[in-house]
Amino acid sequence: MGAALMASDDLLLFTMEAGRPYGERVARHLGLSLATHEEREFEWGHHKTRPLQNVRGRDVYVVQSLHGDLRHSVNDRLCRLLFFLGALRDASAARITAVVPFLCYSRKDSKTKARDPVTSRYVAGFFESVGVHRVATVEVHNVAAFQNAFRCPTEHLEPHHVFADYFATQVADAPAVVVSPDLGGIKRATRYRRALERRLGRELPSAVLEKERSQDVVSGHRVVGDVSGRVVLLVDDMVCGGTTLSRAADACRKAGATRVIAAAAHGVFAPGAARALASAPLDRLAVLDHIPPLDLDPALGDLPLDILDGSSLVAEAVRRMHSGESLTALFDV
């Protein structure tokens, strides 16, 4: 799916330099050129970012994925984005939408230990403090927590149809089952399953794995549901350390799965992920393109990795937000 070509006198699309290749793909889908801005470095890590064209009275969108890599930390990307959003507000933009395909700290949405911070709520406060009118993100870990953390409007962009198209090419007529690696991901897996059923024209079963996490140690290997003799389509929101997918793939194989194909919107791939995934019985692993995994760890090039275009989904969402069209209709496909 791609956004229709468009040209608008009051829409401006910016992207930070750290994420320029992705921003350019979004702009191409929209038929636009990226708006111009300046990023300058100063002593001791100080920096300044400002728009280089008039934004007064304009509908402004800033695309920036808030992941870390070898050049920019999560906090650095977040700080630079916030300063730029504030500069846009001070320059009298009519409406400012932060489009963050990967929203940092979104998994820390509750207190799991005594005196824990609820970091996702603090990040929401940062965006609100610089005058953002709307925040859009892709496949957040907990939709309800994301929506409740913000007082400004939010948009949750669901990529299930992107992965459904991919899964359909992998499965064809083979018997398949859609599996969630934990109980918390059942609703997400259900969305993916229903989208794939529409593509294939047939019903699919589902299954879920037991999972417990304590002190960053993941345990639990029992598969609830029948995966024997089927292609397992393993769905998660994020690949970080690789242990969850590795554990789930191994459990499904031991339960009789013929193949295991995994998909996650966010390919974060922390150090050590390549090693964890290299030993996992995964036939394919698909992620979206807003985080460039090959840029993070060269060892990931040895994995059976497919990087899918998610920029068309973001572009179409921007077009619909700008024109006032339904976003719900975009995901009911």
Side-chain angles (χ1 to χ4, degrees):
M1 175 179 296
L5 295 180
M6 63 184 296
S8 174
D9 290 337
D10 63 343
L11 185 149
L12 288 174
L13 180 71
F14 289 92
T15 189
M16 310 300 289
E17 286 300 326
R20 190 171 187 85
Y22 182 79
E24 289 175 340
R25 292 196 292 274
V26 174
R28 279 198 299 271
H29 285 299
L30 289 167
L32 297 175
S33 297
L34 287 171
T36 57
H37 75 292
E38 176 190 38
E39 296 184 33
R40 293 185 60 189
E41 306 293 329
F42 296 96
E43 299 85 358
W44 302 105
H46 293 89
H47 47 79
K48 179 185 77 172
T49 306
R50 66 184 178 108
L52 291 178
Q53 58 193 89
N54 185 16
V55 301
R56 184 180 297 274
R58 310 287 287 274
D59 188 13
V60 178
Y61 296 80
V62 184
V63 179
Q64 174 69 32
S65 190
L66 296 176
H67 62 278
D69 58 23
L70 298 177
R71 295 181 299 276
H72 302 92
S73 71
V74 167
N75 295 336
D76 188 44
R77 286 177 185 256
L78 175 61
C79 185
R80 289 169 185 262
L81 175 61
L82 291 170
F83 286 179
F84 185 58
L85 294 170
L88 292 169
R89 178 200 60 189
D90 291 346
S92 300
R95 186 173 68 166
I96 304 168
T97 300
V99 182
V100 285
F102 177 72
L103 179 60
C104 60
Y105 298 109
S106 62
R107 278 195 166 186
K108 189 53 184 159
D109 55 26
S110 64
K111 292 187 176 184
T112 54
K113 290 182 169 55
R115 296 173 294 280
D116 257 5
V118 185
T119 320
S120 63
R121 179 159 51 85
Y122 311 154
V123 170
F126 294 156
F127 279 100
E128 291 157 3
S129 69
V130 295
V132 168
H133 296 88
R134 185 187 305 260
V135 174
T137 191
V138 174
E139 197 63 279
V140 76
H141 181 64
N142 184 320
V143 179
F146 164 66
Q147 293 170 338
N148 289 329
F150 287 85
R151 290 172 293 181
C152 67
T154 58
E155 302 293 352
H156 182 237
L157 309 184
E158 301 174 359
H160 52 273
H161 64 273
V162 177
F163 287 110
D165 291 341
Y166 171 79
F167 280 148
T169 65
Q170 296 290 318
V171 172
D173 297 327
V177 55
V178 178
V179 177
S180 172
D182 52 45
L183 292 174
I186 288 178
K187 288 185 178 180
R188 178 182 304 107
T190 298
R191 285 192 278 113
Y192 284 59
R193 176 177 57 80
R194 289 173 177 169
L196 182 56
E197 286 175 337
R198 290 194 290 270
R199 299 298 190 278
L200 298 177
R202 57 188 171 98
E203 293 186 352
L204 298 172
S206 58
V208 63
L209 276 84
E210 292 182 334
K211 174 183 171 181
E212 294 182 3
R213 183 186 295 271
S214 179
Q215 302 294 331
D216 290 329
V217 176
V218 177
S219 60
H221 296 82
R222 189 165 71 94
V223 180
V224 181
D226 185 12
V227 302
S228 180
R230 296 180 178 273
V231 177
V232 163
L233 306 175
L234 190 60
V235 175
D236 207 352
D237 64 317
M238 181 190 307
V239 186
C240 191
T243 55
T244 293
L245 283 186
S246 179
R247 173 193 60 87
D250 185 65
C252 288
R253 282 287 196 177
K254 289 178 178 177
T258 58
R259 299 176 67 207
V260 179
I261 302 170
H266 311 297
V268 177
F269 297 115
R275 183 169 57 254
L277 292 170
S279 60
L282 284 172
D283 292 275
R284 303 301 308 173
L285 169 59
V287 297
L288 297 183
D289 59 342
H290 52 268
I291 303 176
L294 297 180
D295 188 49
L296 302 184
D297 187 346
L300 294 176
D302 298 330
L303 295 176
L305 185 65
D306 294 317
I307 302 174
L308 309 184
D309 177 19
S311 61
S312 59
L313 167 66
V314 169
E316 178 64 13
V318 168
R319 189 189 69 78
R320 289 176 181 241
M321 285 187 282
H322 176 65
S323 62
E325 296 178 49
S326 171
L327 277 179
T328 301
L330 172 60
F331 308 130
D332 292 339
V333 294

